[in-house]
Amino acid sequence: MFIDNTGLGVESSLFIKYGGFSRIYTVIEKFYDNILKSETLNAHFKNTNMERLIHHQTSFISSLMGGPDYISDEQLAQAHKNLGINLKDWQEMINILSLTFSEQGISEDDAKQVIAKLETKRDFIVCH
């Protein structure tokens, strides 16, 4: 059973529409391929287990798309508190995610919906 985070109902959630975890995993793999090409962001991932990170990010983005809940805001803040992510990094990440969504066939309206939900998590990810 899925927890609906979209308000659309599970049967019409973006998570289901785009094929669940396996399809979203592919999107997130491409996202990190693009992230690692970014001069602004690639240094954040030098000593990162990318396979593990892609799995976590797939679960997180899936939850924003109406899939199962994955992580609390408190856990999100704890995971990011010492990473030094600033607003410039955040905006670059949003731009890359938007581009990746487009490249991977996620409609502009659906991408905007997911990014709007992601924006509600910014204060838990960006250092203040």
Side-chain angles (χ1 to χ4, degrees):
M1 175 165 172
F2 297 113
I3 299 169
D4 173 29
N5 294 321
T6 64
L8 298 173
V10 173
E11 60 280 348
S12 61
S13 74
L14 299 179
F15 176 75
I16 299 298
K17 178 179 179 178
Y18 288 103
F21 286 115
S22 62
R23 176 69 180 109
I24 296 168
Y25 187 91
T26 300
V27 172
I28 299 303
E29 280 184 312
K30 299 298 183 189
F31 168 67
Y32 279 107
D33 286 348
N34 291 334
I35 287 282
L36 293 174
K37 294 174 189 172
S38 166
E39 291 181 23
T40 302
L41 299 177
N42 64 12
H44 285 289
F45 301 96
K46 282 193 190 270
N47 297 312
T48 300
N49 178 332
M50 293 306 293
E51 185 176 323
R52 182 172 175 245
L53 180 60
I54 290 167
H55 174 76
H56 284 298
Q57 190 71 276
T58 298
S59 296
F60 177 59
I61 295 296
S62 292
S63 72
L64 297 178
M65 295 177 82
D69 275 341
Y70 176 65
I71 190 170
S72 71
D73 291 342
E74 294 77 22
Q75 292 168 316
L76 195 60
Q78 184 67 27
H80 291 88
K81 74 176 185 177
N82 295 318
L83 299 181
I85 299 169
N86 61 40
L87 285 173
K88 180 181 177 187
D89 297 336
W90 174 264
Q91 192 55 55
E92 176 78 355
M93 181 276 304
I94 292 292
N95 292 341
I96 291 171
L97 184 60
S98 182
L99 173 69
T100 305
F101 279 167
S102 176
E103 291 173 344
Q104 294 298 306
I106 294 177
S107 77
E108 185 176 345
D109 287 343
D110 291 345
K112 285 180 181 179
Q113 183 178 345
V114 175
I115 289 170
K117 288 185 124 338
L118 183 56
E119 285 286 353
T120 69
K121 307 296 183 182
R122 178 176 46 198
D123 288 344
F124 303 105
I125 297 170
V126 174
C127 293
H128 298 283

